Amino acid sequence: MTGDGPDDELLARVFLARVIEPGDEVAGRWVRERGVHEVASRLRGGGEALPGVSGKRWAGLLARAGRADPRADLAVAHEAGGRFVCPGDTEWPSQLDDLGDARPLGLWVRGRPSLRMWALRAVAVVGARACTEYGAHMAATLAAGLAERGWVVVSGGAYGVDGAAHRGALGAGGATVAVLACGVDRPYPRGHTELISRIAEQGLVVGELPPGEHPTPSRFVLRNRVIAALTRGTVVVEAAHRSGSLVTARAAQRLGRHTMGVPGAATSGLSAGVHELLRGEAVLVTDAAEVVELVGDMGELAPARHGPVLPRDLLEPAARRVLAALPGNRPAAPGEVARGAQTSEDEAVARLYELRALGYVERHGDGWKLTRQAMISVRGGRSRC
């Protein structure tokens, strides 16, 4: 493993991916300063430890190196329909370089589309595994809306919000990427084997770990930095205070990506972490249009939000002022109405006749009173607080 051709680069990185854990910044510094060939050669040769690790740690790395077989890993991945994408390859998403020394040594990828092209227009949707029906509904609806707008939905393939997001995108006929904390040939969780296989057929399944590797708690946490770096922004749908999805959101913030949260009930522990994010730098979003307004190109604005248009909203301002000046529980003389509307009595009388023709007021002797139709309209537009 001392050559410098493209095949040698690939084999060296596949070898290191088997030996070094994801996100190891010490090993990342070795690769940056010395190159993959020298680092791989030192680990193969079993010589003096590279700087920054203890003798015990170096011995553990050498033990792993002795069992590594990059050609076998490539063959197993190929059998599962996978490939290994290295930094510098045409398919490599350059935004992963923002991770610095924690950048993946490479990524195992299952699926036909180009990871680099899909990552140019991608949004992460993450959240609680044990989510509520509300959380699953919001994740699926957001993902479907993003997919319909041509965005790629990225998540972690887990139960709960992740699974709902993937299904929402697939159901809308859109694109989705599952970033796993295990080998891409071994779907996890097992209950999502069918879902992950479907993602591999219609989208992409991505992971740092070589074939056959299983997930651990630390690997889940480190996987989240890839989700954050791969996308333009991260939406957290439901998350308790210690949720792993908050790790993704904080990684996105450190990388300068957009961070968004979907609010839940103030009394819900599953939304407590999201609300904490929203008290900080995260932006509140409620649908796909609001997400795209934040992460999309200039001019991709969410539509203006309005309440229902009531019939009285169509009245001219002078008529609305006269209508508002009428008391709700008794008739009023034209002079009293004029004073309330801050206009002349003649103007008030003219407007009252207009309002009578429209069914808002009626005459009671010398006074004027709101009709039942007007009472409903006026009450419906007033705050109850």
Side-chain angles (χ1 to χ4, degrees), residues 338-379:
R339 288 191 297 273
Q342 299 182 12
T343 187
S344 67
E345 188 169 332
D346 289 344
E347 173 69 11
V349 169
R351 297 300 177 183
L352 285 166
Y353 275 106
E354 287 180 18
L355 292 168
R356 186 176 71 170
L358 295 170
Y360 284 100
V361 302
E362 57 191 11
R363 287 200 64 173
H364 278 253
D366 293 332
W368 295 82
K369 186 179 180 180
L370 292 171
T371 62
R372 180 175 176 79
Q373 170 191 332
M375 291 289 288
I376 294 171
S377 177
V378 171
R379 285 175 180 168

Side-chain angles (χ1 to χ4, degrees), residues 1 11 14-15 18 44 64-75:
M1 205 169 289
L11 288 171
V14 172
F15 168 79
R18 172 64 72 178
R44 281 284 197 194
R64 281 191 173 196
R67 295 191 298 271
D69 186 346
R71 294 186 187 278
D73 282 340
L74 287 169

Side-chain angles (χ1 to χ4, degrees), residues 286-287 289-290 302-307:
T286 60
D287 61 19
E290 292 175 351
R305 310 302 167 106
H306 301 288

Side-chain angles (χ1 to χ4, degrees), residues 139-339:
T141 302
L142 274 172
L146 288 166
E148 288 166 355
R149 288 167 171 79
W151 287 81
V152 177
V153 176
V154 179
S155 199
Y159 293 131
V161 166
D162 288 16
H166 290 307
R167 290 188 180 96
L170 292 170
T176 189
V177 177
V179 182
L180 305 184
C182 57
V184 296
D185 64 323
R186 182 171 293 185
Y188 184 89
R190 292 290 180 87
H192 273 180
T193 298
E194 184 178 345
L195 173 62
I196 292 171
S197 297
R198 186 179 170 198
I199 294 170
E201 291 171 4
Q202 294 183 224
L204 291 171
V205 176
V206 176
E208 291 179 80
L209 288 155
E213 284 295 298
H214 63 276
T216 64
S218 63
R219 287 172 171 179
F220 280 120
V221 171
L222 290 163
R223 177 274 310 272
N224 292 342
R225 82 194 195 287
V226 176
I227 295 176
L230 204 57
T231 54
R232 289 201 196 179
T234 294
V235 184
V236 184
V237 177
E238 277 187 326
H241 277 302
R242 292 174 57 84
S243 172
S245 57
L246 299 181
V247 175
T248 311
R250 292 175 184 130
Q253 289 176 338
R254 289 193 298 272
L255 292 166
R257 310 293 199 263
H258 296 288
T259 308
M260 296 151 278
V262 176
T267 54
S268 171
L270 278 175
S271 289
V274 180
H275 295 161
E276 191 64 28
L277 282 176
L278 293 173
R279 284 170 54 82
E281 298 179 4
V283 176
L284 187 152
V285 293
T286 60
D287 61 19
E290 292 175 351
V291 174
V292 172
E293 181 177 75
L294 197 63
V295 303
D297 298 324
M298 187 177 296
E300 292 188 80
L301 302 177
R305 310 302 167 106
H306 301 288
V309 177
L310 301 175
R312 61 182 175 80
D313 296 331
L314 305 177
L315 297 172
E316 293 183 4
R320 285 204 302 271
R321 287 194 297 271
V322 168
L323 184 63
L326 280 161
N329 57 352
R330 60 179 175 80
E336 180 185 350
V337 175
R339 288 191 297 273

